[in-house]
Amino acid sequence: MSVNIREVATTPFNDQKPGTSGLRKKTRQFQQPGYLENFVQAIFNTLPGKAGAKLVVGGDGRYFNREAIQTIIRMAVANGLGEIIVGQHGFLSTPAASCVIRKYQTLGGIVLSASHNPGGPDEDFGLKFNAANGGPAPEQLTNAIYVASKEIESYRISESEDIDLDTLGDVHIGNARVRVIDPVADYAELMRSIFDFGKIGAMLKSGDFGFCFDAMWAITGIYAKAIFEEELGAPRGTVINGEPLTDFGGHHPDPNLVHAKELVAKLFSDDGPDFGAASDGDGDRNMILGRQFYVTPSDSVAIIAANARLIPGYRDGLRGVARSMPTSAALDAVASKLGIPCFETPTGWKFFGNLLDAGRITLCGEESFGTGSDHVREKDGIWAVLCWLNMLAERQQPVEDIVHEHWLTYGRNFYTRHDFEGISSEDGAAIMEHLRTLVASPKQVSDWLENEGAETGLASCDDFAYTDPVDESISENQGIRLQFSDGSRIIYRLSGTGTVGATLRVYIEKPVKEAGRQQADTQETLAELIALSRKFARIEEISGRTEPSVIT
């Protein structure tokens, strides 16, 4: 197919600074003339060695994905890329995109997703660049992209026809080749190399084990049906809400107890299945449930680490583990017993990527329903579910029993996250500035806690800063921490994953070693710390919010 290249004059937009998960805006912002093109050109302007190189393109199937992919292909051709690998129908889950980037040794990939955010013409859209290691672009690169977006004067685009994204095969456009690939095949091959599919399949086909996976009308539906039902033999209907829809069926594709209502109702019914799981819009998050039992993400990563040798891909043991700072310290206890390092990083998968690339860790996870390992450079929902299925097939115990045994061995970290969604950016900033002022004086904080009658004293307080042990880069202002003498913690962060206003996340944790106290209710156990957390941050006084939007 011959092609003409156009150089289109443009002017910069002032709001194209990527966050930890790329650029996320309302869909209509991305649909503005030149908005998508400017940001994509800014990416290409910062990439060295792009002439003749390979690029992966795919997304979660949300509204505007297909149109955006056609534009990106035309621009990739015009900017001299040699091969563009795109998932059939434009589909690639975020972990599958990482897998494909790594397998085919590409320059990187453009992933179109706003993760767990709602989709549709009036909802959210996102785009990020993943580097050659398969992981999110490092801050140095995202900063360069932002600078390029502010200086852009034109973008390059070919005048070629749309690619047929629904048919597998190759199309040549000028000097470039566009490959439409099966979005599941390479990822499924990788999963086979890690897990005991024979043992998992025998359990799923036995008729004695009930399993339900909620794809939330999002991208993992195609992966879950192919792997769980077609390959492993789970009964048809095991995967619910399995067709990827551009608006996720009007739902919020976030796998938590609030938004995965149908799955939660099934698992907490009297005759529910033995095991339940859900994933999010782009397939990188996961929620794990047993029969009438919820596994916190912090416990999940700790339990996977403690049982890793049951999984063929990790039988040689773990080099180390890592968790994000707000994630509970349950993983630390496992690492201590295994005699391996445990790194505490800021929130954002790119920090794990450095440790994974350097061979310092094998497993990692964060409290926001993300778990992963060195098999890719993204968190991975389907992989996490397969970890649990492999453990369940080996141990032949209910989920609840596995978790309770873990607590008896390592202690239980009672843990909750309270999200105050949709507060104004100004109120969010005011709360964080108030907190930073307070923690600058630990004695003031200690005196305040004593005056409030806190049960335990303050051990330390700070605004978390991280020095990367691999590249020695420093990341400051990563969250306010109050750490108590008994190991309890209160942490505050503003989330960067939304597109409107701000989300204040408050994390509360209390470790309990005594077996007789480990079956208590989480919110009751943490009630004093919860009350302290709201009063200390002046949440109601500043934002007017008396209760969180979501509790997990």
Side-chain angles (χ1 to χ4, degrees):
M1 185 187 299
S2 61
V3 61
N4 293 321
I5 307 297
R6 285 195 300 137
E7 190 89 21
V8 181
T10 190
T11 54
F13 293 86
N14 62 7
D15 63 347
Q16 293 194 328
K17 183 175 177 60
T20 58
S21 299
L23 185 66
R24 290 186 186 172
K25 302 289 179 184
K26 288 299 179 183
T27 303
R28 295 196 191 281
Q29 284 182 262
F30 267 100
Q31 290 177 307
Q32 296 174 82
Y35 194 90
L36 171 68
E37 291 86 347
N38 274 24
F39 190 67
V40 172
Q41 188 63 56
I43 293 173
F44 289 145
N45 286 350
T46 62
L47 293 180
K50 62 180 176 287
K54 298 177 182 177
L55 179 77
V56 172
V57 181
D60 60 11
R62 69 177 57 229
Y63 187 88
F64 190 54
N65 257 28
R66 290 176 72 100
E67 297 88 343
I69 287 171
Q70 297 288 357
T71 297
I72 293 166
I73 291 172
R74 290 190 183 97
M75 293 186 67
V77 171
N79 279 273
L81 276 293
E83 185 173 306
I84 300 98
I85 302 171
V86 58
Q88 188 181 28
H89 314 304
F91 291 157
L92 274 175
S93 74
T94 293
S98 182
C99 165
V100 172
I101 290 167
R102 293 169 63 80
K103 178 175 179 176
Y104 295 104
Q105 299 180 326
T106 72
L107 180 67
I110 293 178
V111 182
L112 294 90
S113 168
S115 189
H116 55 290
N117 294 10
D122 297 313
E123 296 294 350
D124 298 345
F125 190 80
L127 184 154
K128 68 174 181 174
F129 181 77
N130 278 31
N133 72 341
E139 199 165 294
Q140 181 180 5
L141 180 54
T142 56
N143 287 340
I145 292 169
Y146 180 49
V147 169
S149 78
K150 294 190 295 183
E151 298 174 345
I152 193 167
E153 296 180 349
S154 65
Y155 60 83
R156 293 173 60 81
I157 190 165
S158 69
E159 295 183 327
S160 51
E161 296 178 0
D162 281 358
I163 294 296
D164 179 1
L165 296 176
D166 301 322
T167 302
L168 300 174
D170 295 359
V171 177
H172 291 271
I173 306 175
N175 296 321
R177 176 172 70 158
V178 180
R179 294 181 57 202
V180 180
I181 66 168
D182 182 326
V184 177
D186 295 310
Y187 177 83
E189 177 185 62
L190 180 59
M191 294 303 102
R192 280 184 221 107
S193 73
I194 298 172
F195 299 102
D196 189 337
F197 272 28
K199 190 160 284 189
I200 297 171
M203 177 180 70
L204 293 178
K205 289 181 283 193
S206 68
D208 298 324
F209 181 84
F211 172 37
C212 181
F213 179 87
D214 188 353
M216 306 191 81
W217 302 112
I219 190 67
T220 49
I222 64 171
Y223 296 85
K225 286 180 179 178
I227 294 173
F228 299 143
E229 293 187 356
E230 295 172 19
E231 182 153 1
L232 293 172
R236 298 286 180 185
T238 292
V239 178
I240 62 173
N241 305 320
E243 180 186 352
L245 301 177
T246 59
D247 65 349
F248 308 119
H251 300 293
H252 194 150
D254 193 355
N256 59 44
L257 294 170
V258 173
H259 296 305
K261 294 178 181 177
E262 183 178 354
L263 177 72
V264 172
K266 286 180 180 291
L267 268 294
F268 281 82
S269 65
D270 291 338
D271 58 349
D274 302 280
F275 180 61
S279 193
D280 70 329
D282 69 332
D284 61 358
R285 297 184 179 210
N286 73 92
M287 178 173 69
I288 301 297
L289 300 169
R291 182 179 290 166
Q292 299 186 350
F293 192 83
Y294 166 64
V295 184
T296 72
S298 295
D299 276 346
S300 182
V301 65
I303 292 166
I304 290 171
N307 290 272
R309 287 184 181 272
L310 298 178
I311 299 169
Y314 308 105
R315 286 218 170 114
D316 291 337
L318 307 177
R319 290 184 294 275
V321 294
R323 62 168 175 84
S324 65
M325 180 273 289
T327 302
S328 95
L331 184 61
D332 304 48
V334 175
S336 176
K337 201 171 191 69
L338 293 177
I340 58 176
C342 181
F343 296 88
E344 183 180 40
T345 74
T347 297
W349 213 259
K350 62 186 178 183
F351 297 103
F352 293 147
N354 267 6
L355 295 167
L356 290 164
D357 286 346
R360 305 283 286 270
I361 63 171
T362 307
L363 293 180
C364 47
E366 57 187 18
E367 52 71 36
S368 55
F369 298 85
T371 325
S373 85
D374 57 358
H375 69 290
V376 290
R377 294 298 181 268
E378 290 277 7
K379 47 187 176 279
D380 189 346
I382 294 288
W383 169 89
V385 176
L386 285 166
C387 282
W388 273 91
L389 287 171
N390 211 146
M391 284 192 294
L392 290 164
E394 288 284 351
R395 294 187 55 162
Q396 296 290 306
Q397 293 174 277
V399 170
E400 184 175 4
D401 289 359
I402 290 174
V403 176
H404 286 167
E405 285 188 16
H406 183 89
W407 291 343
L408 289 173
T409 303
Y410 299 98
R412 179 181 182 183
N413 287 64
F414 283 91
Y415 182 85
T416 190
R417 187 181 91 188
H418 289 206
D419 290 356
F420 295 83
E421 298 177 336
I423 64 175
S424 73
S425 298
E426 294 77 13
D427 285 349
I431 290 170
M432 295 305 291
E433 185 56 35
H434 163 68
L435 290 168
R436 289 192 177 98
T437 300
L438 288 177
V439 299
S441 174
K443 185 178 186 308
Q444 181 182 0
V445 176
S446 184
D447 290 346
W448 183 89
L449 290 167
E450 185 177 347
N451 187 59
E452 291 295 321
E455 291 180 1
T456 55
L458 183 74
S460 65
C461 60
D462 64 355
D463 191 348
F464 179 58
Y466 175 70
T467 300
D468 193 299
V470 178
D471 62 18
E472 299 185 346
S473 62
I474 298 173
S475 300
E476 298 179 316
N477 302 321
Q478 295 298 311
I480 302 298
R481 300 189 294 181
L482 302 185
Q483 303 191 88
F484 297 86
S485 54
D486 67 347
S488 298
R489 300 191 302 164
I490 300 173
I491 294 164
Y492 305 87
R493 283 185 63 252
L494 281 185
S495 171
T497 59
T499 61
V500 175
T503 296
L504 175 69
R505 302 199 196 281
V506 186
Y507 313 82
I508 302 104
E509 174 180 12
K510 183 181 183 68
V512 172
K513 294 289 188 183
E514 300 86 351
R517 297 170 55 206
Q518 290 179 352
Q519 306 304 318
D521 177 78
T522 297
Q523 301 303 314
E524 290 179 7
T525 301
L526 299 174
E528 186 215 8
L529 288 171
I530 290 168
L532 284 173
S533 73
R534 296 183 189 175
K535 193 169 185 181
F536 184 72
R538 295 171 54 194
I539 293 173
E540 182 178 358
E541 183 179 340
I542 294 174
S543 71
R545 300 288 289 275
T546 59
E547 295 294 331
S549 313
V550 178
I551 296 175
T552 52

